[in-house]
Amino acid sequence: MFGGGGANKVLSKCSVWWKDVLKIISSSSHDPIVDLCRFSVHNGFSTPFWEAKWLCDFTLKDFFPDLYVISRLKYVSVAAMGGWKDGMWCWGDFGISEVEVDELCLEEVYADFKGKVVGFRGWLEGKDAVEWNNSEDKVFSVASCYEFYNNLRFSYGPPNRNDGAFGLLWKLEVPFKFKAFGWRLFLNRLPVKDLLKIRGISISLEESKCVFCGLCLESCNYLFFSCLVVKNIWSEVAFWVGKGDTVDDECLSNFTDWHLFFRSKKVKDRKLGVVWLATTWVIWTVKNGSCFRKEAWNVNNIVWNIKHLVWRWSFCGKITHPNYSFYEFCMDPMHFLS
């Protein structure tokens, strides 16, 4: 983790998507994940002396680079820099020659270094531990890591109405895998054909076209919003819920339009995006069924599948109307979602 080059060793075993993430991290001078970690020294055997944050919120390697260069003990643990004598911890010479310190005029730097290290009184029993500084309990979690990376996203230009789309998506009362699908759709990370071609997967010109209309290259925006057949599906769904049939061809703007419409109809907060998410999910599954299993489809069946999925999701969370039927729901969906 701290020795350098670790990412390259693992790179060949990762998926093509994760390789891109590792390349981004390795191209920067610091690993942002490592920068948020701090070692809690117990017995000192697992904590790198120079390369880990254990003494303060910096590494000794970065704070005292001249001393690090002349030290003969570079890749050792804290415990290797000294020993216990009569119940007292005694530091060694840190692999640094005082003759070299005099020759390089580093006396003041060395005195500062020794003052910081010798003043350490944090020894504890047991094995060393790693603390995660991005959470209150100092314990790493995927949620806190995602929040950290999400906060790194800089907005381009002034704030716009689509900035909160990700937060609204994660609040929906639907099973998690569908929210993960929507998240990938927002980021244009679904394996649609134009991205597969960029990844070097050989696809013929005819196979790379949209399965619904067969006219244009399949991309995320085209497959879900621009295709003439898909526009017809959105129009049918919009008519069902009483929305205007205009369809925005950009993913986040489309989601926001539908979200604002349902908010104006007093739909419950955690149900505001279920129709949009159900529509995109059914389009995606029908597209995959047609590509991989040669399954037949028609617009009418797709729309009915969307309605059925919204009906199922309307039972997620707090059930206000536990006894209504699918037929009753299709007749007046807004009544049951509001």
Side-chain angles (χ1 to χ4, degrees), residues 14-30:
C14 299
S15 70
V16 290
W17 308 98
W18 185 242
K19 284 180 183 178
D20 287 345
V21 176
L22 292 179
K23 286 177 182 177
I24 293 171
I25 293 176
S26 62
S27 64
S28 59
S29 57
H30 293 282

mmCIF file with all atom_site columns, all heavy atoms in Angstrom, residues 14-30:
data_model
loop_
_atom_site.group_PDB
_atom_site.id
_atom_site.type_symbol
_atom_site.label_atom_id
_atom_site.label_alt_id
_atom_site.label_comp_id
_atom_site.label_asym_id
_atom_site.label_entity_id
_atom_site.label_seq_id
_atom_site.pdbx_PDB_ins_code
_atom_site.Cartn_x
_atom_site.Cartn_y
_atom_site.Cartn_z
_atom_site.occupancy
_atom_site.B_iso_or_equiv
_atom_site.pdbx_formal_charge
_atom_site.auth_seq_id
_atom_site.auth_comp_id
_atom_site.auth_asym_id
_atom_site.auth_atom_id
_atom_site.pdbx_PDB_model_num
ATOM 1   N N   . CYS A 1 14 ? -7.319  -6.896 -13.012 1.00 0.00 ? 14 CYS A N   1
ATOM 2   C CA  . CYS A 1 14 ? -8.546  -6.125 -12.812 1.00 0.00 ? 14 CYS A CA  1
ATOM 3   C C   . CYS A 1 14 ? -9.367  -6.057 -14.090 1.00 0.00 ? 14 CYS A C   1
ATOM 4   O O   . CYS A 1 14 ? -8.876  -6.311 -15.181 1.00 0.00 ? 14 CYS A O   1
ATOM 5   C CB  . CYS A 1 14 ? -8.203  -4.702 -12.364 1.00 0.00 ? 14 CYS A CB  1
ATOM 6   S SG  . CYS A 1 14 ? -7.305  -4.639 -10.811 1.00 0.00 ? 14 CYS A SG  1
ATOM 7   N N   . SER A 1 15 ? -10.624 -5.686 -13.921 1.00 0.00 ? 15 SER A N   1
ATOM 8   C CA  . SER A 1 15 ? -11.482 -5.449 -15.079 1.00 0.00 ? 15 SER A CA  1
ATOM 9   C C   . SER A 1 15 ? -11.031 -4.176 -15.784 1.00 0.00 ? 15 SER A C   1
ATOM 10  O O   . SER A 1 15 ? -10.327 -3.338 -15.210 1.00 0.00 ? 15 SER A O   1
ATOM 11  C CB  . SER A 1 15 ? -12.934 -5.288 -14.631 1.00 0.00 ? 15 SER A CB  1
ATOM 12  O OG  . SER A 1 15 ? -13.111 -4.064 -13.932 1.00 0.00 ? 15 SER A OG  1
ATOM 13  N N   . VAL A 1 16 ? -11.477 -4.000 -17.032 1.00 0.00 ? 16 VAL A N   1
ATOM 14  C CA  . VAL A 1 16 ? -11.060 -2.818 -17.794 1.00 0.00 ? 16 VAL A CA  1
ATOM 15  C C   . VAL A 1 16 ? -11.581 -1.550 -17.137 1.00 0.00 ? 16 VAL A C   1
ATOM 16  O O   . VAL A 1 16 ? -10.953 -0.485 -17.227 1.00 0.00 ? 16 VAL A O   1
ATOM 17  C CB  . VAL A 1 16 ? -11.572 -2.904 -19.252 1.00 0.00 ? 16 VAL A CB  1
ATOM 18  C CG1 . VAL A 1 16 ? -10.825 -3.976 -20.008 1.00 0.00 ? 16 VAL A CG1 1
ATOM 19  C CG2 . VAL A 1 16 ? -13.071 -3.151 -19.309 1.00 0.00 ? 16 VAL A CG2 1
ATOM 20  N N   . TRP A 1 17 ? -12.723 -1.625 -16.449 1.00 0.00 ? 17 TRP A N   1
ATOM 21  C CA  . TRP A 1 17 ? -13.282 -0.431 -15.799 1.00 0.00 ? 17 TRP A CA  1
ATOM 22  C C   . TRP A 1 17 ? -12.429 -0.036 -14.607 1.00 0.00 ? 17 TRP A C   1
ATOM 23  O O   . TRP A 1 17 ? -12.117 1.125  -14.410 1.00 0.00 ? 17 TRP A O   1
ATOM 24  C CB  . TRP A 1 17 ? -14.729 -0.713 -15.346 1.00 0.00 ? 17 TRP A CB  1
ATOM 25  C CG  . TRP A 1 17 ? -15.578 -1.263 -16.447 1.00 0.00 ? 17 TRP A CG  1
ATOM 26  C CD1 . TRP A 1 17 ? -15.877 -2.580 -16.670 1.00 0.00 ? 17 TRP A CD1 1
ATOM 27  C CD2 . TRP A 1 17 ? -16.206 -0.536 -17.508 1.00 0.00 ? 17 TRP A CD2 1
ATOM 28  N NE1 . TRP A 1 17 ? -16.660 -2.708 -17.782 1.00 0.00 ? 17 TRP A NE1 1
ATOM 29  C CE2 . TRP A 1 17 ? -16.892 -1.474 -18.317 1.00 0.00 ? 17 TRP A CE2 1
ATOM 30  C CE3 . TRP A 1 17 ? -16.285 0.815  -17.847 1.00 0.00 ? 17 TRP A CE3 1
ATOM 31  C CZ2 . TRP A 1 17 ? -17.617 -1.116 -19.431 1.00 0.00 ? 17 TRP A CZ2 1
ATOM 32  C CZ3 . TRP A 1 17 ? -17.024 1.185  -18.960 1.00 0.00 ? 17 TRP A CZ3 1
ATOM 33  C CH2 . TRP A 1 17 ? -17.670 0.223  -19.740 1.00 0.00 ? 17 TRP A CH2 1
ATOM 34  N N   . TRP A 1 18 ? -12.026 -1.023 -13.789 1.00 0.00 ? 18 TRP A N   1
ATOM 35  C CA  . TRP A 1 18 ? -11.235 -0.716 -12.602 1.00 0.00 ? 18 TRP A CA  1
ATOM 36  C C   . TRP A 1 18 ? -9.815  -0.292 -12.973 1.00 0.00 ? 18 TRP A C   1
ATOM 37  O O   . TRP A 1 18 ? -9.187  0.505  -12.278 1.00 0.00 ? 18 TRP A O   1
ATOM 38  C CB  . TRP A 1 18 ? -11.205 -1.919 -11.668 1.00 0.00 ? 18 TRP A CB  1
ATOM 39  C CG  . TRP A 1 18 ? -10.500 -1.632 -10.359 1.00 0.00 ? 18 TRP A CG  1
ATOM 40  C CD1 . TRP A 1 18 ? -9.383  -2.230 -9.880  1.00 0.00 ? 18 TRP A CD1 1
ATOM 41  C CD2 . TRP A 1 18 ? -10.876 -0.664 -9.380  1.00 0.00 ? 18 TRP A CD2 1
ATOM 42  N NE1 . TRP A 1 18 ? -9.042  -1.705 -8.660  1.00 0.00 ? 18 TRP A NE1 1
ATOM 43  C CE2 . TRP A 1 18 ? -9.939  -0.743 -8.328  1.00 0.00 ? 18 TRP A CE2 1
ATOM 44  C CE3 . TRP A 1 18 ? -11.920 0.257  -9.284  1.00 0.00 ? 18 TRP A CE3 1
ATOM 45  C CZ2 . TRP A 1 18 ? -10.010 0.067  -7.200  1.00 0.00 ? 18 TRP A CZ2 1
ATOM 46  C CZ3 . TRP A 1 18 ? -11.986 1.065  -8.158  1.00 0.00 ? 18 TRP A CZ3 1
ATOM 47  C CH2 . TRP A 1 18 ? -11.038 0.962  -7.132  1.00 0.00 ? 18 TRP A CH2 1
ATOM 48  N N   . LYS A 1 19 ? -9.304  -0.785 -14.097 1.00 0.00 ? 19 LYS A N   1
ATOM 49  C CA  . LYS A 1 19 ? -7.974  -0.367 -14.536 1.00 0.00 ? 19 LYS A CA  1
ATOM 50  C C   . LYS A 1 19 ? -7.912  1.137  -14.756 1.00 0.00 ? 19 LYS A C   1
ATOM 51  O O   . LYS A 1 19 ? -6.918  1.788  -14.438 1.00 0.00 ? 19 LYS A O   1
ATOM 52  C CB  . LYS A 1 19 ? -7.592  -1.094 -15.835 1.00 0.00 ? 19 LYS A CB  1
ATOM 53  C CG  . LYS A 1 19 ? -7.185  -2.549 -15.650 1.00 0.00 ? 19 LYS A CG  1
ATOM 54  C CD  . LYS A 1 19 ? -6.836  -3.182 -16.978 1.00 0.00 ? 19 LYS A CD  1
ATOM 55  C CE  . LYS A 1 19 ? -6.499  -4.657 -16.812 1.00 0.00 ? 19 LYS A CE  1
ATOM 56  N NZ  . LYS A 1 19 ? -6.205  -5.303 -18.109 1.00 0.00 ? 19 LYS A NZ  1
ATOM 57  N N   . ASP A 1 20 ? -8.997  1.694  -15.326 1.00 0.00 ? 20 ASP A N   1
ATOM 58  C CA  . ASP A 1 20 ? -9.023  3.135  -15.568 1.00 0.00 ? 20 ASP A CA  1
ATOM 59  C C   . ASP A 1 20 ? -8.952  3.914  -14.256 1.00 0.00 ? 20 ASP A C   1
ATOM 60  O O   . ASP A 1 20 ? -8.293  4.941  -14.170 1.00 0.00 ? 20 ASP A O   1
ATOM 61  C CB  . ASP A 1 20 ? -10.293 3.523  -16.332 1.00 0.00 ? 20 ASP A CB  1
ATOM 62  C CG  . ASP A 1 20 ? -10.241 3.078  -17.787 1.00 0.00 ? 20 ASP A CG  1
ATOM 63  O OD1 . ASP A 1 20 ? -9.133  2.738  -18.241 1.00 0.00 ? 20 ASP A OD1 1
ATOM 64  O OD2 . ASP A 1 20 ? -11.288 3.057  -18.447 1.00 0.00 ? 20 ASP A OD2 1
ATOM 65  N N   . VAL A 1 21 ? -9.649  3.399  -13.216 1.00 0.00 ? 21 VAL A N   1
ATOM 66  C CA  . VAL A 1 21 ? -9.618  4.071  -11.926 1.00 0.00 ? 21 VAL A CA  1
ATOM 67  C C   . VAL A 1 21 ? -8.202  4.047  -11.353 1.00 0.00 ? 21 VAL A C   1
ATOM 68  O O   . VAL A 1 21 ? -7.689  5.060  -10.855 1.00 0.00 ? 21 VAL A O   1
ATOM 69  C CB  . VAL A 1 21 ? -10.600 3.402  -10.937 1.00 0.00 ? 21 VAL A CB  1
ATOM 70  C CG1 . VAL A 1 21 ? -10.491 4.029  -9.562  1.00 0.00 ? 21 VAL A CG1 1
ATOM 71  C CG2 . VAL A 1 21 ? -12.022 3.499  -11.453 1.00 0.00 ? 21 VAL A CG2 1
ATOM 72  N N   . LEU A 1 22 ? -7.540  2.875  -11.453 1.00 0.00 ? 22 LEU A N   1
ATOM 73  C CA  . LEU A 1 22 ? -6.174  2.756  -10.929 1.00 0.00 ? 22 LEU A CA  1
ATOM 74  C C   . LEU A 1 22 ? -5.199  3.647  -11.689 1.00 0.00 ? 22 LEU A C   1
ATOM 75  O O   . LEU A 1 22 ? -4.268  4.207  -11.111 1.00 0.00 ? 22 LEU A O   1
ATOM 76  C CB  . LEU A 1 22 ? -5.711  1.298  -11.000 1.00 0.00 ? 22 LEU A CB  1
ATOM 77  C CG  . LEU A 1 22 ? -6.436  0.326  -10.071 1.00 0.00 ? 22 LEU A CG  1
ATOM 78  C CD1 . LEU A 1 22 ? -5.887  -1.082 -10.264 1.00 0.00 ? 22 LEU A CD1 1
ATOM 79  C CD2 . LEU A 1 22 ? -6.300  0.744  -8.620  1.00 0.00 ? 22 LEU A CD2 1
ATOM 80  N N   . LYS A 1 23 ? -5.408  3.801  -13.002 1.00 0.00 ? 23 LYS A N   1
ATOM 81  C CA  . LYS A 1 23 ? -4.531  4.667  -13.786 1.00 0.00 ? 23 LYS A CA  1
ATOM 82  C C   . LYS A 1 23 ? -4.669  6.119  -13.351 1.00 0.00 ? 23 LYS A C   1
ATOM 83  O O   . LYS A 1 23 ? -3.694  6.864  -13.310 1.00 0.00 ? 23 LYS A O   1
ATOM 84  C CB  . LYS A 1 23 ? -4.854  4.526  -15.276 1.00 0.00 ? 23 LYS A CB  1
ATOM 85  C CG  . LYS A 1 23 ? -4.373  3.216  -15.878 1.00 0.00 ? 23 LYS A CG  1
ATOM 86  C CD  . LYS A 1 23 ? -4.793  3.110  -17.338 1.00 0.00 ? 23 LYS A CD  1
ATOM 87  C CE  . LYS A 1 23 ? -4.366  1.783  -17.936 1.00 0.00 ? 23 LYS A CE  1
ATOM 88  N NZ  . LYS A 1 23 ? -4.838  1.645  -19.341 1.00 0.00 ? 23 LYS A NZ  1
ATOM 89  N N   . ILE A 1 24 ? -5.907  6.527  -13.062 1.00 0.00 ? 24 ILE A N   1
ATOM 90  C CA  . ILE A 1 24 ? -6.125  7.907  -12.609 1.00 0.00 ? 24 ILE A CA  1
ATOM 91  C C   . ILE A 1 24 ? -5.398  8.143  -11.291 1.00 0.00 ? 24 ILE A C   1
ATOM 92  O O   . ILE A 1 24 ? -4.744  9.164  -11.091 1.00 0.00 ? 24 ILE A O   1
ATOM 93  C CB  . ILE A 1 24 ? -7.633  8.183  -12.448 1.00 0.00 ? 24 ILE A CB  1
ATOM 94  C CG1 . ILE A 1 24 ? -8.317  8.153  -13.816 1.00 0.00 ? 24 ILE A CG1 1
ATOM 95  C CG2 . ILE A 1 24 ? -7.873  9.526  -11.770 1.00 0.00 ? 24 ILE A CG2 1
ATOM 96  C CD1 . ILE A 1 24 ? -9.831  8.212  -13.741 1.00 0.00 ? 24 ILE A CD1 1
ATOM 97  N N   . ILE A 1 25 ? -5.502  7.162  -10.374 1.00 0.00 ? 25 ILE A N   1
ATOM 98  C CA  . ILE A 1 25 ? -4.859  7.310  -9.071  1.00 0.00 ? 25 ILE A CA  1
ATOM 99  C C   . ILE A 1 25 ? -3.342  7.323  -9.215  1.00 0.00 ? 25 ILE A C   1
ATOM 100 O O   . ILE A 1 25 ? -2.648  8.153  -8.642  1.00 0.00 ? 25 ILE A O   1
ATOM 101 C CB  . ILE A 1 25 ? -5.304  6.178  -8.127  1.00 0.00 ? 25 ILE A CB  1
ATOM 102 C CG1 . ILE A 1 25 ? -6.788  6.332  -7.791  1.00 0.00 ? 25 ILE A CG1 1
ATOM 103 C CG2 . ILE A 1 25 ? -4.477  6.171  -6.853  1.00 0.00 ? 25 ILE A CG2 1
ATOM 104 C CD1 . ILE A 1 25 ? -7.349  5.205  -6.944  1.00 0.00 ? 25 ILE A CD1 1
ATOM 105 N N   . SER A 1 26 ? -2.793  6.388  -10.052 1.00 0.00 ? 26 SER A N   1
ATOM 106 C CA  . SER A 1 26 ? -1.346  6.287  -10.174 1.00 0.00 ? 26 SER A CA  1
ATOM 107 C C   . SER A 1 26 ? -0.732  7.468  -10.897 1.00 0.00 ? 26 SER A C   1
ATOM 108 O O   . SER A 1 26 ? 0.457   7.739  -10.763 1.00 0.00 ? 26 SER A O   1
ATOM 109 C CB  . SER A 1 26 ? -0.974  4.989  -10.906 1.00 0.00 ? 26 SER A CB  1
ATOM 110 O OG  . SER A 1 26 ? -1.510  4.993  -12.218 1.00 0.00 ? 26 SER A OG  1
ATOM 111 N N   . SER A 1 27 ? -1.542  8.213  -11.681 1.00 0.00 ? 27 SER A N   1
ATOM 112 C CA  . SER A 1 27 ? -1.000  9.356  -12.400 1.00 0.00 ? 27 SER A CA  1
ATOM 113 C C   . SER A 1 27 ? -0.826  10.564 -11.499 1.00 0.00 ? 27 SER A C   1
ATOM 114 O O   . SER A 1 27 ? -0.174  11.529 -11.868 1.00 0.00 ? 27 SER A O   1
ATOM 115 C CB  . SER A 1 27 ? -1.917  9.722  -13.578 1.00 0.00 ? 27 SER A CB  1
ATOM 116 O OG  . SER A 1 27 ? -3.183  10.140 -13.101 1.00 0.00 ? 27 SER A OG  1
ATOM 117 N N   . SER A 1 28 ? -1.436  10.553 -10.307 1.00 0.00 ? 28 SER A N   1
ATOM 118 C CA  . SER A 1 28 ? -1.300  11.679 -9.403  1.00 0.00 ? 28 SER A CA  1
ATOM 119 C C   . SER A 1 28 ? -0.166  11.415 -8.422  1.00 0.00 ? 28 SER A C   1
ATOM 120 O O   . SER A 1 28 ? 0.272   10.289 -8.223  1.00 0.00 ? 28 SER A O   1
ATOM 121 C CB  . SER A 1 28 ? -2.606  11.901 -8.630  1.00 0.00 ? 28 SER A CB  1
ATOM 122 O OG  . SER A 1 28 ? -2.934  10.745 -7.902  1.00 0.00 ? 28 SER A OG  1
ATOM 123 N N   . SER A 1 29 ? 0.347   12.468 -7.796  1.00 0.00 ? 29 SER A N   1
ATOM 124 C CA  . SER A 1 29 ? 1.496   12.333 -6.905  1.00 0.00 ? 29 SER A CA  1
ATOM 125 C C   . SER A 1 29 ? 1.125   11.627 -5.616  1.00 0.00 ? 29 SER A C   1
ATOM 126 O O   . SER A 1 29 ? 1.964   11.041 -4.956  1.00 0.00 ? 29 SER A O   1
ATOM 127 C CB  . SER A 1 29 ? 2.072   13.713 -6.597  1.00 0.00 ? 29 SER A CB  1
ATOM 128 O OG  . SER A 1 29 ? 1.075   14.548 -6.025  1.00 0.00 ? 29 SER A OG  1
ATOM 129 N N   . HIS A 1 30 ? -0.132  11.697 -5.193  1.00 0.00 ? 30 HIS A N   1
ATOM 130 C CA  . HIS A 1 30 ? -0.571  11.061 -3.969  1.00 0.00 ? 30 HIS A CA  1
ATOM 131 C C   . HIS A 1 30 ? -1.814  10.224 -4.240  1.00 0.00 ? 30 HIS A C   1
ATOM 132 O O   . HIS A 1 30 ? -2.651  10.583 -5.045  1.00 0.00 ? 30 HIS A O   1
ATOM 133 C CB  . HIS A 1 30 ? -0.878  12.109 -2.903  1.00 0.00 ? 30 HIS A CB  1
ATOM 134 C CG  . HIS A 1 30 ? 0.332   12.855 -2.414  1.00 0.00 ? 30 HIS A CG  1
ATOM 135 N ND1 . HIS A 1 30 ? 1.218   12.318 -1.519  1.00 0.00 ? 30 HIS A ND1 1
ATOM 136 C CD2 . HIS A 1 30 ? 0.793   14.086 -2.707  1.00 0.00 ? 30 HIS A CD2 1
ATOM 137 C CE1 . HIS A 1 30 ? 2.183   13.189 -1.268  1.00 0.00 ? 30 HIS A CE1 1
ATOM 138 N NE2 . HIS A 1 30 ? 1.939   14.272 -1.984  1.00 0.00 ? 30 HIS A NE2 1
#
